[in-house]
Amino acid sequence: MSPSSQPSRGALFALLATILIWAYSWIVMKQVLAHAGPFDFAALRYLIGAAVLFAALLLSRQSLRPPPLLPTILIGLCQTAAFQGLEQWALLDGGAGHVALLAYTMPFWAVLLAWLLLGDRPTVQHWLGLALAAIGLLCIIEPWHAMGSMLSTTLALAGGVAWAAGTVLSKRMFRRHAPSVLNLTAWQMLAGGIALGLVTLAVPQRSIEWDWPFIGALAYSAVLASSLAWWLWSIVLQRLSTTVASVSSLGVPIVSVLLAWLILHEQPSMMELLGIVFVLLGLAAVSGVGARRRG
């Protein structure tokens, strides 16, 4: 009893820590825009994060040889460059909680993209989840109002789609080539960081203020949110079921909404709260909650 409960307890602690780190990172991502442009920050965050992961590869004596380059670059362009760049851009005009919630619609887009790219046909349960999510998104976006933040909403949703594409491409990579998780993450993060660096050269932005708040935000995002949290998440995926892990990750946007309310005074409307409920129900359906009992 004791040996099996210890790993489980450790995984639950890792899960809680991951949720808190990732949830607070959305607050940091919003606040740092007072000190730097969105693409400068995103590029620095992921280039430093990649360096930390390569150091981890060396310390753990794993191979530094890259996985197949073209699919790795595609994953990096979707999962790191497009996802992080679009979400950071969305935060210029959008609230941290609002943007985080729309970014975490990723599982819905992943279901559809997995159907198109991998031939994984959605089940009735998946379609139910997508329908509930659509209702939730309508409540959150409120298209019947003239919204000044429509650009932010579109960017946040597009970032979620990019994240989903990176997730599906990663799944295909693991099926075909079975690379080490740490190795693939480091190389795709480097590819995405370089792509974001090229964007910074092409897009005019405000100058970086190299003050302590910016340095602290960069350290938190690169080391904690991009590297440590990834390592903790790998422990969660290793020791807990995929269903438990994926459903529990829904805590990230919910905690982000609460933290944005407390720290940034972004009070959610009743329609947004209703939308959150529908999105959570949809994500639970997509993740297969309850299906295990029948299996």
Side-chain angles (χ1 to χ4, degrees), residues 192-206:
I194 291 171
L196 284 166
L198 294 174
V199 172
T200 66
L201 298 176
V203 178
Q205 295 170 86
R206 61 173 298 159

Side-chain angles (χ1 to χ4, degrees), residues 187-265:
W187 280 102
Q188 71 83 17
M189 195 176 286
L190 176 63
I194 291 171
L196 284 166
L198 294 174
V199 172
T200 66
L201 298 176
V203 178
Q205 295 170 86
R206 61 173 298 159
S207 300
I208 297 175
E209 296 174 18
W210 288 95
D211 50 15
W212 286 114
F214 175 77
I215 293 169
L218 187 58
Y220 182 92
S221 298
V223 179
L224 292 181
S226 299
S227 302
L228 175 64
W230 170 85
W231 176 70
L232 291 171
W233 183 245
S234 68
I235 293 174
V236 172
L237 293 177
Q238 195 174 36
R239 300 185 186 177
L240 298 178
S241 73
T242 304
T243 297
V244 170
S246 57
V247 173
S248 301
S249 71
L250 308 185
V252 176
I254 303 307
V255 175
S256 294
V257 169
L258 295 174
L259 288 175
W261 191 353
L262 289 171
I263 298 171
L264 304 177
H265 310 295

